[in-house]
């Protein structure tokens, strides 16, 4: 293992499936339907993961689309377990049947994140675009909880579920979640239609929710994290970590392309060749965009991100979101930029 490397590859974000069995209103990756399965070649994927260990790999995140739709999913997690590679899973939860949960448990999954966007089927199913999604996810969560799998609930925030946070957190605790994450929807692709319809909350609404979310979490007895840039968090929340380290991650898309995280599903300029053609070590060390990002972040950040006290820690939050929205990977993070324009960015953190 190349421990002396200045930029070890700590995490692989594997967008295992470009397909999904739901039709969620906000999904910026825009996965194809159940009849158009897409996924990386299994043998090539194993080679990429194996080679990544020589670059410092600590773990992989399996996401999508819906990763449980991939035909070799259980073979993959068995192989990861045999190779002693830590992995987590992001899923809509609808396919977490008893067999899936058992195999995840046996493979030693570190965490399963399941989407839950309201406390009832009416709320969740409307957002996820399929009747029965709520009950299937709820049953999957209960099965995973019964096996003592660490469960995180992901709550995608929009206008209609703003008032439902407390009920959803309490439900999450009741069915076995150990943490609850509130996801701020990126205004990109399908979510841009939500913005046009006025369905996404305003900055001031999100910041108001931030304070009530902490209270709800204390009441429920589980951590409630609002996924905001550090400038909008308490110092204790900032230094608890959890920020994206773009200099230490690499994505693999459902087409098998190496990418700057998941943005490569839609933005081909952020891809660096395919796992069937290029060695991951060559990609990690030689790709011009990766080298540029390492050399220029955070110094080349623009707008309020360049002036923020947390610049060196945050690195501009999610560079994929900024790239997708503006075409410029160094442009300010949209949430922070808008908050600054509205006078809502903490003045004591502007340097």
């Amino acid at each position: 293992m190349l421990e002396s490397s200045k930029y070890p590859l700590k995490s692989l974000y594997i967008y295992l499936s470009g397909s999904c069995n739901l039709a969620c209103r906000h999904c910026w990756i825009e996965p194809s339907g159940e009849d158009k399965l897409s996924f990386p070649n299994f043998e090539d994927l194993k080679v990429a993961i194996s080679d990544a260990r020589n670059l410092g790999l600590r773990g992989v995140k399996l996401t999508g689309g819906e990763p449980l739709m991939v035909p070799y999913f259980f073979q993959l997690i068995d192989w990861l377990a045999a190779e002693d590679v830590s992995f987590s899973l992001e899923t809509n939860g609808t396919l977490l049947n008893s067999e899936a949960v058992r195999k995840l448990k046996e493979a030693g999954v570190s965490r399963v994140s399941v989407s839950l966007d309201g406390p009832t089927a009416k709320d969740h199913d409307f957002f996820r675009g399929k009747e029965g999604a709520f009950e299937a996810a709820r049953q999957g969560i209960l099965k995973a909880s019964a096996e003592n799998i660490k469960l995180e609930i992901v709550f995608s925030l929009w206008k209609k579920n703003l008032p439902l946070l407390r009920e959803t957190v309490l439900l999450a605790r009741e069915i076995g979640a150990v943490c609850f994450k509130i996801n701020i929807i990126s205004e990109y692709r399908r979510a841009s239609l939500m913005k046009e319809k006025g369905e996404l909350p305003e900055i001031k609404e999100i910041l108001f929710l931030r304070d009530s979310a902490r209270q709800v979490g204390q009441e429920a007895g589980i951590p409630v994290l609002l996924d905001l840039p550090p400038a909008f968090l308490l110092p204790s929340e900032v230094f608890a970590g959890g920020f994206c380290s773009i200099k230490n991650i690499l994505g693999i898309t459902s087409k098998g392309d190496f990418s700057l995280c998941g943005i490569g599903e839609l933005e081909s300029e952020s891809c660096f060749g395919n796992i069937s053609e290029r060695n991951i070590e060559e990609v990690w060390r030689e790709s011009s965009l990766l080298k540029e990002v390492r050399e220029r972040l955070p110094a080349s950040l623009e707008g309020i991100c360049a002036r923020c006290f947390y610049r060196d820690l945050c690195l501009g939050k999610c560079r994929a979101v900024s790239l997708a929205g503006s075409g410029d990977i160094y442009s300010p993070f949209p949430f922070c930029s808008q908050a600054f324009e509205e006078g809502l960015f903490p003045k004591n953190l502007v340097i």
Side-chain angles (χ1 to χ4, degrees):
M1 184 180 296
L2 303 176
E3 294 291 348
S4 61
S5 173
K6 186 176 181 181
Y7 299 110
L9 172 54
K10 296 180 181 179
S11 301
L12 279 175
Y13 290 4
I14 303 176
Y15 295 79
L16 196 60
S17 170
S19 310
C20 191
N21 58 336
L22 302 183
C24 307
R25 298 168 64 86
H26 71 303
C27 187
W28 68 287
I29 297 179
E30 301 191 28
S32 57
E34 296 177 72
D35 59 337
K36 297 180 181 179
L37 286 174
S38 61
F39 42 86
N41 178 276
F42 185 31
E43 296 304 318
D44 291 337
L45 184 61
K46 289 193 292 184
V47 170
I49 296 171
S50 293
D51 290 348
R53 300 183 72 174
N54 294 325
L55 298 169
L57 184 69
R58 295 182 182 177
V60 303
K61 177 172 72 173
L62 304 177
T63 184
E66 176 47 55
L68 282 164
M69 293 177 66
V70 173
Y72 58 69
F73 177 81
F74 296 117
Q75 290 175 268
L76 174 60
I77 64 172
D78 286 345
W79 179 83
L80 290 171
E83 295 293 312
D84 197 26
V85 177
S86 174
F87 74 97
S88 62
L89 171 68
E90 293 182 342
T91 173
N92 61 41
T94 61
L95 303 179
L96 283 176
N97 56 32
S98 297
E99 181 184 16
V101 167
R102 176 180 61 80
K103 290 183 176 180
L104 284 164
K105 175 70 173 181
E106 290 175 351
V109 64
S110 62
R111 183 183 66 188
V112 175
S113 299
V114 183
S115 299
L116 201 62
D117 304 302
T120 69
K122 177 183 177 182
D123 306 307
H124 181 82
D125 290 359
F126 178 75
F127 187 76
R128 294 285 157 178
K130 187 171 183 178
E131 186 176 349
F134 174 82
E135 186 56 27
R138 191 181 74 88
Q139 290 297 327
I141 293 166
L142 286 169
K143 289 180 174 68
S145 176
E147 293 292 338
N148 294 314
I149 290 175
K150 183 179 180 181
L151 281 162
E152 174 187 63
I153 297 301
V154 180
F155 179 83
S156 293
L157 189 66
W158 69 305
K159 286 275 192 180
K160 290 191 177 181
N161 68 3
L162 267 169
L164 304 175
L165 174 64
R166 181 178 181 276
E167 291 177 71
T168 312
V169 172
L170 293 175
L171 173 64
R173 180 197 63 185
E174 177 186 327
I175 59 180
V178 298
C179 55
F180 190 98
K181 179 183 176 183
I182 305 171
N183 181 43
I184 308 300
I185 295 173
S186 300
E187 299 169 10
Y188 186 52
R189 294 296 175 108
R190 276 188 284 180
S192 65
L193 297 177
M194 297 183 69
K195 177 68 173 179
E196 291 175 11
K197 294 177 181 179
E199 295 177 339
L200 299 182
E202 304 295 328
I203 298 282
K204 60 183 178 181
E205 293 177 299
I206 294 172
L207 295 181
F208 180 80
L209 182 75
R210 169 194 59 187
D211 300 322
S212 60
R214 295 186 182 113
Q215 183 176 350
V216 170
Q218 291 175 354
E219 177 186 344
I222 63 173
V224 175
L225 171 67
L226 186 54
D227 188 23
L228 289 173
F232 300 93
L233 301 176
L234 295 172
S236 59
E237 296 167 332
V238 171
F239 294 107
F243 301 109
C244 174
S245 178
I246 191 172
K247 298 184 181 185
N248 302 105
I249 64 171
L250 185 65
I252 297 177
T253 74
S254 63
K255 296 177 182 177
D257 292 326
F258 293 112
S259 168
L260 187 73
C261 71
I263 192 70
E265 289 282 352
L266 298 172
E267 306 290 345
S268 59
E269 66 270 22
S270 72
C271 292
F272 323 116
N274 196 273
I275 58 174
S276 65
E277 301 168 350
R278 296 193 68 187
N279 176 273
I280 194 169
E281 183 170 347
E282 174 193 359
V283 169
W284 187 247
R285 298 195 183 282
E286 301 300 330
S287 293
S288 58
L289 181 57
L290 292 177
K291 291 168 71 174
E292 179 186 331
V293 164
R294 292 170 194 149
E295 293 167 0
R296 294 185 58 184
L297 280 180
S300 293
L301 286 170
E302 301 168 358
I304 184 57
C305 288
R307 303 172 59 193
C308 178
F309 174 80
Y310 287 117
R311 183 193 73 166
D312 292 356
L313 172 67
C314 177
L315 301 180
K317 184 58 172 170
C318 178
R319 293 295 82 208
V321 168
S322 295
L323 176 63
S326 69
D328 180 359
I329 198 168
Y330 304 109
S331 64
F333 188 63
F335 184 96
C336 296
S337 184
Q338 186 178 342
F340 183 73
E341 291 172 4
E342 295 177 10
L344 298 172
F345 195 94
K347 292 181 174 59
N348 64 313
L349 296 179
V350 180
I351 57 177

